[in-house]
Amino acid sequence: MAIGTSSAFAGHSASSELPALPVLATARGRAAAGSSRPAIIFAAALFGLIGLPAQATGRPPQFLRSCAIEPPDQVPLFKVPASSRPAVASAKNQKGEETDDADDDDDDDDDDDTPRGFVSPGSSTCISLSGTVNAGLQRDNFQANRLARATGQVPPNTTSFPLSTTFRIETGQVVGDGGYLASAFEFSIDTNSEGGSDVTIGEATVTLGALVFGLADSRFDFWAGDEFAFIGRIPSRTVALVGYERQLTEAISLSLSAEDVSADRRTALLTAGNRLPDGVARLLYEQGGLTVHGAIALREVPRFGASSLVGRAAILGATWEGKLLARPVTLTAQIAGAVNAPPYIGSRLDQRTALPLLGGDVTTRGWSSVVSIGREWTDEWSTNAYVSRYRLTLPEFAGVTGRVQIDRLAANVVWAPVEGLRLGLEGSVARQRVDLAGDARAASLNGRQSSAQLFVERSF
């Protein structure tokens, strides 16, 4: 406004544009001339303000700009000699120029996985908004022995209409010193068996360079089963963490984190009284279509009336993405073992069954494994299947050793006619055996559960 007013006064002076006022010799005439001067100034200022839009129209309009949230590549700590790197076959395009097909494929994959967003005018922050809505029709059947049904806690065969919604906000920008600052917030709303809604925070993190802190998935976890609707609706194991990630070579990265599993309401009972967060170290290898994940975890296990124990867990997993008969195939396998660290083994479904049965003074030993396969038969049709095993041993109660055994098999068929839309048919069978002396809830879990569902999922 000050600029427009100044230009108005500069181009429209009272002596050149406004008519000269008559000079009155009387005092009354001089007062009248003085009283009209504020009106003249107001008129000139108003003229300047009216002229501002005309000046603004000369400037080009500003619009939202598209962007991608992708942190800059870290300089590897160790350089690999160029001679030791595998050679990549090159091809020639129509112009006869050599091209790197493998690099092009990798670039396409990176572009597909990179969150896309927008930058508002006058800002340097890239903002990405995304979400998923998953609805379905599900039928659950329970088969249990007479002892389990005598507890009265075996659920009846039911038909339900599960609905879950996930919303995610991500930001990223390069700050003044050249560092990268990013944030992510994700929450989900799921309908429960009583007809109400449960709100769960899946992630709330801030990343500054190589440091990350907030609520997120544990760096220990690998296979998540997101290809299956009935697993994707269950919130993942969320921990409060402070982590550091460093690129050791172009293919290997190191992650160190301090994690608190009590942020997950399902494992809060297990960590009552702990004084130290869990420590997790992970090595991740990514090269071409192969990903290898190895991690170890140490945790404090408080005991009532006794000194704390040291829990430990380890995991090794691998995923291979390639082509079989000219169609994409994904193979994944992992195995995990834990001593006094049950939150670190099993899938989301296994943890939801076993962890609520454990107390804070329980020592355990266990392991879990999973093998999954996914194949795209056409551009629209794909299938996924997995088989898993979960074993957890508890100390003796009244001379009986407690055990939790879960075997699970699941498969689905998915049709994706357009990008962001998935329709599928899914089925699973789980056989559970839980032997915990004096726990009626454990007896009700013995038996077989089979589920079948139709689902539709829309991503935006």
Side-chain angles (χ1 to χ4, degrees), residues 223 227-228 330-332 370-375 382-388 408-413 426-427:
W223 183 82
E227 302 85 1
F228 298 86
T330 301
L331 296 174
T332 300
V370 62
V371 176
S372 70
I373 180 172
R375 178 179 173 83
S382 62
T383 57
N384 300 278
Y386 85 90
V387 58
S388 67
R408 200 181 306 273
L409 172 65
N412 66 14
V413 178
E426 200 164 84

Side-chain angles (χ1 to χ4, degrees), residues 35 104 125 137 214:
S35 63
D104 292 343
T125 302
L137 169 64

Side-chain angles (χ1 to χ4, degrees), residues 42 46 50 70 181 241 268 296 378 394 435:
F42 176 76
L46 181 61
I50 295 176
E70 186 175 12
L181 176 64
L241 64 83
I296 58 174
T378 67
L394 286 73
D435 298 323

Side-chain angles (χ1 to χ4, degrees), residues 39-114:
I40 298 172
I41 296 175
F42 176 76
L46 181 61
F47 183 85
L49 291 177
I50 295 176
L52 281 178
Q55 296 175 2
T57 56
R59 300 176 182 175
Q62 296 182 345
F63 302 98
L64 297 177
R65 307 190 311 273
S66 62
C67 61
I69 298 181
E70 186 175 12
D73 295 335
Q74 289 187 357
V75 178
L77 186 62
F78 303 102
K79 294 291 186 179
V80 178
S83 58
S84 63
R85 300 176 185 173
V88 180
S90 61
K92 292 186 178 181
N93 55 20
Q94 295 179 355
K95 298 181 180 180
E97 301 172 349
E98 291 189 353
T99 60
D100 193 332
D101 293 340
D103 292 343
D104 292 343
D105 293 340
D106 292 341
D107 293 342
D108 293 341
D109 294 340
D110 294 341
D111 293 340
D112 293 341
D113 297 336
T114 301

